Amino acid sequence: MTNTTSIRRRITRRGWSVLLVVLGSLFDLCAVVNVPGGAALPGQPGGEATITGFGAVLGLLAFVAWMSVPWRRRHPLVVLIAGGVIALIGISYLLLLVGAVSTIRWHPDRLRPVSAGVIAVVAIFVIRETVTPWWGAALPWFASMSTDRSGIGWAIASVVLAVASLTVAGAVVLSSRAQARAALSRGIADAERERADVLGEEMVRQAERERIARDMHDALAHRLSVVSLHAGALEMVAGDDAGGMARTVREQAHAALDDMRGLIGDLRTGPGQASPSTMRAIGPLLAETRAAGAVIASYVLIESPERAGAQFDSAVHRIVQESLTNALKHAASAPIDVHVQVDPSGGARIRVVNPLVDGGRAAAPVVPGGGHGVLGIRERAAALGGTAWIGPYEGSFIVDVTLPWQERVAGSSSGAN
């Protein structure tokens, strides 16, 4: 639809250009009568007027000048200058007005100099017609078929015609400027409306984030607090082995509460804010998992974590965390191999491998889950332009994620403390 409209506009503009060239050239061909020697005019009405050789040259010159009209948008000054030459020669000032309107329309800052120049040239044209008896024969000839210019009536007619022509040109300029201002106002209004729509959508998203944050807090905070309370009580009355397990449960419940508060903070503040997770917490995360009884062989090499962007920093930690959670769910007693390498030149490579159990198939999870961990890993990798390969391979379950490096924006926090 847009291409069709653009083609129609171009065809319309070219049609107007051709029409102006044809009509303007014919008008100026007749107007060569204004120039002394441009035409042989009989003294009596009813005689035949003939264009002289000099008049033919003037007509050809006028035609060449009118051929500049198709460039009135890109090069309006060319049309203005060509019209000024034709007017100073004495043929007509019609092309001058066309050039002036185009120049002022596309160069509004030139309104005053162009207007003053056009008025000066038209004034010269009219004064020459009214003062000298051998200039300006076109008006009386085409009005009465006579060369008699005696009396003040023809002089007044020339002045009135000039004022009317300038008035029409001024009205066209004012109309064009009004249309331009209206188009600008419509553009501003459209931009403000889009901005209001974006703000409205953001308010809706913020309200939804607030609702989700409240639901998470109400649904989980109480249950985790109860788990921590009972784990603490069990730690006090149980033996060494059971007490250690209870202590681990209590610490993990506290960590879960902290993570949940951080996630709720993210929801309420929106995206782009500092995350409570960071690559620097991968070491403590592995230590906590080992303390809970997991067998983990790890290789972690992180360079320049302070340079990492907040989203990248958080994503590395979350992917490792989700990968460990997935391994513990499906193979809690199996050894887990964790490989994490991060540097500004190569980005991040995260590889977590655990052997499949139950005959080479993934075992049923010992902890209930909705299967969103793997999906979350894929989504985090895709959001950062990385790749994620997740699935069984040769008796092992592999999570292999590659992320391109993201530099921290100056003045922002990476979320690591």
Side-chain angles (χ1 to χ4, degrees):
M1 183 63 70
T2 303
N3 292 335
T4 303
T5 303
S6 178
I7 293 174
R8 288 178 179 175
R9 288 179 178 175
R10 286 199 295 268
I11 293 175
T12 301
R13 286 198 298 265
R14 291 176 181 175
W16 275 109
S17 297
V18 172
L19 184 63
L20 281 174
V21 170
V22 173
L23 295 181
S25 299
L26 291 176
F27 181 86
D28 279 359
L29 182 63
C30 297
V32 297
V33 177
N34 270 331
V35 183
L41 301 177
Q44 299 297 326
E48 293 184 359
T50 58
I51 296 178
T52 64
F54 178 61
V57 172
L58 293 179
L60 180 61
L61 178 62
F63 175 74
V64 173
W66 276 95
M67 288 297 293
S68 64
V69 167
W71 285 273
R72 66 188 186 278
R73 288 176 176 268
R74 295 183 179 179
H75 307 288
L77 287 177
V78 175
V79 184
L80 182 66
I81 294 172
V85 171
I86 297 300
L88 290 175
I89 291 175
I91 299 176
S92 79
Y93 46 79
L94 180 59
L95 181 59
L96 176 67
L97 297 180
V98 173
V101 170
S102 298
T103 302
I104 295 173
R105 180 178 181 183
W106 301 109
H107 302 281
D109 56 312
R110 300 178 180 176
L111 172 62
R112 291 185 178 180
V114 170
S115 300
V118 170
I119 292 174
V121 173
V122 172
I124 293 172
F125 189 97
V126 173
I127 291 173
R128 184 170 52 191
E129 280 191 351
T130 56
V131 173
T132 59
W134 54 86
W135 284 88
L139 183 60
W141 174 257
F142 287 108
S144 61
M145 299 299 292
S146 172
T147 57
D148 184 12
R149 298 178 66 247
S150 61
I152 197 173
W154 294 116
I156 295 176
S158 297
V159 173
V160 170
L161 182 61
V163 172
S165 299
L166 291 173
T167 302
V168 171
V172 173
V173 169
L174 292 177
S175 174
S176 176
R177 291 169 70 89
Q179 291 177 0
R181 286 194 295 268
L184 180 61
S185 299
R186 287 195 298 270
I188 294 175
D190 291 341
E192 290 296 326
R193 185 163 51 250
E194 292 178 1
R195 181 171 176 269
D197 292 341
V198 170
L199 290 176
E201 292 176 0
E202 181 59 31
M203 291 179 65
V204 172
R205 287 194 293 268
Q206 182 63 34
E208 183 65 14
R209 287 195 293 265
E210 290 284 351
R211 184 191 65 79
I212 294 173
R214 288 194 301 269
D215 290 347
M216 286 179 62
H217 184 272
D218 294 343
L220 297 178
H222 174 70
R223 294 185 182 275
L224 289 174
S225 298
V226 171
V227 170
S228 177
L229 179 64
H230 283 273
L234 181 60
E235 181 183 357
M236 295 178 62
V237 300
D240 292 339
D241 293 338
M245 296 177 62
R247 183 167 54 256
T248 300
V249 171
R250 176 174 56 82
E251 291 172 353
Q252 291 300 313
H254 285 172
L257 278 170
D258 291 338
D259 286 346
M260 188 190 69
R261 293 190 185 100
L263 291 173
I264 290 175
D266 281 347
L267 284 171
R268 284 176 171 163
T269 56
Q273 304 296 324
S275 172
S277 59
T278 171
M279 291 185 288
R280 294 176 178 177
I282 292 178
L285 173 65
L286 295 174
E288 292 174 358
T289 309
R290 288 192 182 97
V295 179
I296 299 177
S298 61
Y299 174 83
V300 179
L301 178 61
I302 300 176
E303 295 183 14
S304 304
E306 71 282 354
R307 290 176 49 187
Q311 190 177 9
F312 178 89
D313 190 19
S314 175
V316 172
H317 177 270
R318 292 300 188 191
I319 290 173
V320 174
Q321 187 180 49
E322 289 291 346
S323 301
L324 287 174
T325 301
N326 183 72
L328 292 173
K329 281 183 180 179
H330 294 278
S333 60
I336 304 172
D337 184 68
V338 178
H339 178 97
V340 180
Q341 185 170 358
V342 182
D343 63 84
S345 61
R349 174 72 184 276
I350 304 165
R351 182 179 174 88
V352 179
V353 181
N354 63 274
L356 294 173
V357 296
D358 193 18
R361 298 187 302 274
V366 296
V367 180
H372 302 297
V374 171
L375 178 61
I377 294 173
R378 297 185 191 276
E379 290 179 347
R380 290 180 189 276
L384 291 174
T387 59
W389 192 95
I390 304 174
Y393 180 75
E394 294 185 352
S396 298
F397 190 87
I398 302 174
V399 176
D400 195 341
V401 179
T402 302
L403 302 177
W405 176 266
Q406 280 193 356
E407 193 75 14
R408 181 173 63 90
V409 179
S412 66
S413 174
S414 65
N417 296 318

